[in-house]
């Protein structure tokens, strides 16, 4: 009997025909899974150094990005949920139980928090800072304009600066190497590492523009997801009714 070989032959012919159709329609190669780079943007074939260069260029050229995750800085862990673009950013920050919102439009930085946050900032009364619960309640729920000369401006404005933040986050330390293919949010990625992961790792999209999608910082200094590349969002200063201009310096702890 030759039924089984005949069925197999017909199946092979059918698969070949489908493969040819796909190649003709899309221009892709490697039908059947022989080429792991089939249908990708091609960066997976590059060296780790070139992949890092490509993803940095892609990130710098993007109009906007959403950044989510944790960053450890000066011994403190900050959980971020930020949207950033060239002229500012907005989002929430949580650190040591305190939660507040940041909004920067151009050089103007605003901070919004509840009374509990401002109560923990008490202490510096010589410069007019609030020293009682009533003052903290007055600031609660309002956008407080942060003076450019205040230490808080330097401390928090970096969280709203796309270029500054990404420049620091996308840096891998040590010898670069590729660490296989992975997936982030349903998107295929290639991973590059510094010193086999001790210097951080970065997942770069293999689909479309090679944007960085996940960053693990060196030394356990946080893990971040980067999404919504190029998706614009509204960025406006709060109204005067929502704003308190604190003057030369914010309350200090």
């Amino acid at each position: 009997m030759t039924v089984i070989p005949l069925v197999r032959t017909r199946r092979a012919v059918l698969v070949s025909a489908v493969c040819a159709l796909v190649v003709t329609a899309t221009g892709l190669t490697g039908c059947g899974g022989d080429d792991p780079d089939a249908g990708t943007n091609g960066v997976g074939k590059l060296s780790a150094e070139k992949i890092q260069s490509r993803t940095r260029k892609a990130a710098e050229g993007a109009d906007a990005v959403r950044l989510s995750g944790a960053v450890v800085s000066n011994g403190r862990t900050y959980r971020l949920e930020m949207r950033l673009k060239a002229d500012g950013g907005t989002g929430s920050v949580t650190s040591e139980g305190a939660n507040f919102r940041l909004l920067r439009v151009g050089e103007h930085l605003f901070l919004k928090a509840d009374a509990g946050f401002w109560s923990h900032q008490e202490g510096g009364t010589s410069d007019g800072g609030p020293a009682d619960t009533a003052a903290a309640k007055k600031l609660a729920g309002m956008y407080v304009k942060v003076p450019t000369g205040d230490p808080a401006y330097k401390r928090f404005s970096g969280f709203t600066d796309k270029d500054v933040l990404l420049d620091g986050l996308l840096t891998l330390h040590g010898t670069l190497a590729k660490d296989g293919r992975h997936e982030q949010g349903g998107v295929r990625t290639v991973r590059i590492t510094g010193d086999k992961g001790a210097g951080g790792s970065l997942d770069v999209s293999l689909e479309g523009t090679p944007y960085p999608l996940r960053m693990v910082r060196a030394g356990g200094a946080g893990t971040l997801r980067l999404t919504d590349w190029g998706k614009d969002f509204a960025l406006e200063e709060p109204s005067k009714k929502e704003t308190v201009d604190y003057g030369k310096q914010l309350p200090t702890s």
Side-chain angles (χ1 to χ4, degrees):
M1 297 291 288
T2 59
V3 175
I4 293 177
L6 181 60
V7 171
R8 289 177 177 171
T9 299
R10 288 177 176 174
R11 184 179 298 166
V13 171
L14 179 60
V15 170
S16 297
V18 171
C19 183
L21 180 61
V22 170
V23 171
T24 302
T26 66
L28 303 180
T29 61
C31 188
D34 295 333
D35 184 0
D37 291 298
T40 73
N41 53 26
V43 297
K45 299 178 180 181
L46 305 177
S47 67
E49 290 78 9
K50 287 186 177 180
I51 293 173
Q52 184 182 48
S53 177
R54 290 281 183 90
T55 198
R56 273 186 170 276
K57 185 176 181 180
E60 290 170 358
D63 293 330
V65 64
R66 180 190 293 273
L67 188 150
S68 309
V71 171
V72 179
S73 178
N74 296 321
R76 297 185 64 172
T77 298
Y78 297 90
R79 297 201 64 82
L80 309 178
E81 184 63 49
M82 302 294 300
R83 299 194 71 177
L84 310 170
K85 56 184 180 179
D87 57 345
T90 182
S92 64
V93 181
T94 301
S95 179
E96 297 183 357
N99 178 269
F100 54 94
R101 293 194 63 81
L102 292 174
L103 168 63
R104 183 177 65 82
V105 183
E107 293 186 354
H108 297 165
L109 177 66
F110 303 87
L111 189 155
K112 183 178 182 180
D114 60 17
F117 174 88
W118 293 113
S119 294
H120 285 86
Q121 304 303 306
E122 298 175 6
T125 59
S126 62
D127 55 12
D132 52 41
T133 303
K137 287 182 177 180
K138 185 177 180 180
L139 297 178
M142 300 292 288
Y143 279 101
V144 178
K145 189 173 183 180
V146 183
T148 55
D150 191 276
Y153 189 94
K154 183 178 181 180
R155 181 181 176 187
F156 295 132
S157 63
F159 290 144
T160 65
D161 192 313
K162 172 179 173 285
D163 293 336
V164 170
L165 196 57
L166 291 183
D167 184 58
L169 294 177
L170 299 182
T171 298
L172 298 177
H173 302 279
T175 303
L176 299 183
K178 292 196 288 186
D179 186 26
R181 307 303 177 86
H182 301 268
E183 184 178 297
Q184 296 296 328
V187 178
R188 290 175 292 171
T189 66
V190 59
R191 182 172 297 169
I192 57 175
T193 64
D195 278 349
K196 299 181 179 180
S201 69
L202 188 64
D203 278 44
V204 178
S205 176
L206 286 171
E207 302 178 18
T209 305
Y211 290 125
L213 300 183
R214 181 175 181 266
M215 174 73 190
V216 178
R217 302 183 70 205
T223 299
L224 291 159
R225 293 180 64 249
L226 301 100
T227 59
D228 291 352
W229 287 101
K231 293 185 178 180
D232 197 15
F233 59 94
L235 192 62
E236 298 179 352
E237 292 193 16
S239 67
K240 291 184 178 180
K241 292 182 179 180
E242 300 175 286
T243 308
V244 174
D245 191 339
Y246 204 81
K248 295 182 178 180
Q249 188 172 349
L250 289 181
T252 57
S253 55

